[in-house]
Amino acid sequence: MSERPTAQELTEAIAEFLGGEILPILSDQRLRFRTLVAMNALSIVYRELDALPPADDTGRRELALRIRAGEVEPGTLARVKADVEARLRVASPRYLERYE
């Protein structure tokens, strides 16, 4: 149930895009330098994310199993909505703004 793409995968994809698609076509030395700085910053973020302990999604997995089994306790819908809202605040905050 892990979120995909992960933050680490996103940083890697952006770094690959900048290095493979953008950097080769930049002739302005200032822009090249700033792009290299951005790529270095993404590498730092990637390594920091790599050093974090893996996220524990046991609670979400257990909840999904209970819902599939029809064992829906009171408050389950509120818990699921809160979880989805928290994930959307990170992944797509503008989506939530339409409903607030």
Side-chain angles (χ1 to χ4, degrees):
M1 269 205 182
S2 299
E3 299 297 316
R4 298 301 300 268
T6 65
Q8 206 168 10
E9 290 168 338
L10 289 171
T11 59
E12 186 174 34
I14 295 166
E16 287 177 6
F17 169 71
L18 291 174
E21 302 287 330
I22 301 302
L23 196 60
I25 63 171
L26 292 177
S27 56
D28 182 308
Q29 292 304 311
R30 181 176 173 271
L31 286 177
R32 285 185 64 80
F33 173 76
R34 292 184 71 163
T35 302
L36 289 169
V37 169
M39 290 172 63
N40 187 54
L42 285 168
S43 295
I44 292 168
V45 171
Y46 182 90
R47 290 189 298 274
E48 287 183 358
L49 290 169
D50 194 42
L52 294 174
D56 182 7
D57 66 351
T58 305
R60 284 185 187 163
R61 288 178 182 272
E62 290 173 352
L63 178 59
L65 288 172
R66 286 195 307 271
I67 291 171
R68 286 186 193 111
E71 301 168 9
V72 181
E73 300 171 7
T76 299
L77 181 58
R79 180 178 170 193
V80 170
K81 282 183 176 181
D83 183 56
V84 170
E85 180 180 346
R87 289 187 281 153
L88 281 172
R89 288 205 184 285
V90 172
S92 186
R94 284 184 281 170
Y95 183 82
L96 280 178
E97 290 171 3
R98 292 189 283 175
Y99 297 97
E100 293 181 320

